[in-house]
Amino acid sequence: MNPTRIRTALLPLLLAGLLPLAAHAAEPAKGPIQRELSAELAEARREVRAELASARAELETENLDVGNSLRLGKAGNAAGEALPNAEITPRGDFLIEGKAVAIDAGQREQLLAYRGHVIDIAKAGIDIGERSALLALDTVDRGLFSLIVGALTGSLEHKLEKTIKATVEPGVLQICRSLPSLLDSQQRLAASLPQFRPYATLEADDMEDCENQVRHEFARR
């Protein structure tokens, strides 16, 4: 799983799934049809909650892929070569290509701290995704039949994008603002564990770049 891949691509994905539901409701509103669509939306909510609960559990129980867990900073080494696969286990072991690197108790503590910071960011991203998905479903469910014309004219898509933007943007900006503590944890670990240094790609200017990218992306919508 790649925790910081919180992108506004979520919006078209959500809309692609929701617009057919609204379009399907273009027939005259009948009790059974409305109940059926509401049942489908309720099932969709349950699936969203279950899948994201599973994703949160996986973060806690699976190894953290150090090379792929963050898409910030540089990828690979200075020569542009791919780095060996590296992971941090839930116990704080540091694995390179599946082999444990010798560490002391202090380094294990730093590895666990860094892993915890990354997981916190990942969970924040999952929370944003869950709120956005449920909000989109609720928006359609509450005004399903009143939004039929909107689905056909494109105003439904605009309404959902505007609603979801108001939910997503503050949360993503908060993730950007949590990066300084992650950078501090990464730097301390890199100073302590030489084998980790090639994977310490987060840099100070990534924080500003993160906020600028989010603001730019949402300003286009």
Side-chain angles (χ1 to χ4, degrees):
M1 179 174 293
N2 301 324
T4 58
R5 287 181 178 176
I6 309 303
R7 297 290 186 265
T8 53
L10 174 66
L11 297 177
L13 287 175
L14 288 171
L15 294 168
L18 292 171
L19 287 174
L21 285 175
H24 178 66
E27 301 175 15
K30 302 293 184 181
I33 295 176
Q34 187 170 10
R35 287 194 295 271
E36 180 181 352
L37 291 173
S38 293
E40 290 180 8
L41 289 166
E43 178 62 24
R45 292 186 188 92
R46 286 191 290 270
E47 289 178 359
V48 166
R49 292 189 179 101
E51 289 178 8
L52 295 184
S54 176
R56 292 185 186 93
E58 287 178 4
L59 286 171
E60 297 288 354
T61 59
E62 294 187 355
N63 293 351
L64 175 70
D65 186 341
V66 173
N68 291 319
S69 61
L70 291 172
R71 291 300 185 185
L72 296 168
K74 302 180 183 67
N77 55 26
E81 299 173 358
L83 293 168
N85 183 57
E87 299 172 306
I88 301 175
T89 73
R91 295 184 61 255
D93 294 310
F94 186 53
L95 311 179
I96 296 181
E97 296 294 354
K99 296 182 179 179
V101 174
I103 57 172
D104 60 29
Q107 291 167 330
R108 184 182 300 278
E109 183 177 348
Q110 290 175 327
L111 284 161
L112 286 171
Y114 176 78
R115 174 187 163 92
H117 279 297
V118 175
I119 287 177
D120 286 344
I121 290 174
K123 286 182 176 179
I126 290 172
D127 289 344
I128 293 170
E130 181 173 29
R131 289 198 302 272
S132 301
L134 295 176
L135 180 60
L137 290 168
D138 288 343
T139 298
V140 173
D141 197 10
R142 285 196 303 268
L144 188 59
F145 296 101
S146 66
L147 293 173
I148 293 171
V149 175
L152 300 177
T153 63
S155 63
L156 172 58
E157 180 174 351
H158 177 72
K159 177 181 175 67
L160 288 176
E161 284 194 350
K162 183 178 180 180
T163 302
I164 295 171
K165 172 186 174 180
T167 301
V168 172
E169 185 175 12
V172 178
L173 287 173
Q174 188 59 44
I175 288 177
C176 293
R177 292 162 189 163
S178 71
L179 293 179
S181 61
L182 176 65
L183 176 63
D184 179 65
S185 178
Q186 174 195 266
Q187 290 178 327
R188 285 187 281 108
L189 177 57
S192 173
L193 186 61
Q195 294 91 332
F196 177 79
R197 289 173 192 165
Y199 304 92
T201 60
L202 185 64
E203 298 178 350
D205 58 1
D206 287 323
M207 272 64 86
E208 182 177 357
D209 290 345
C210 180
E211 289 204 33
N212 288 340
Q213 183 178 357
V214 171
R215 294 187 189 281
H216 174 73
E217 182 64 31
F218 279 103
R220 294 164 50 194
R221 297 186 175 275

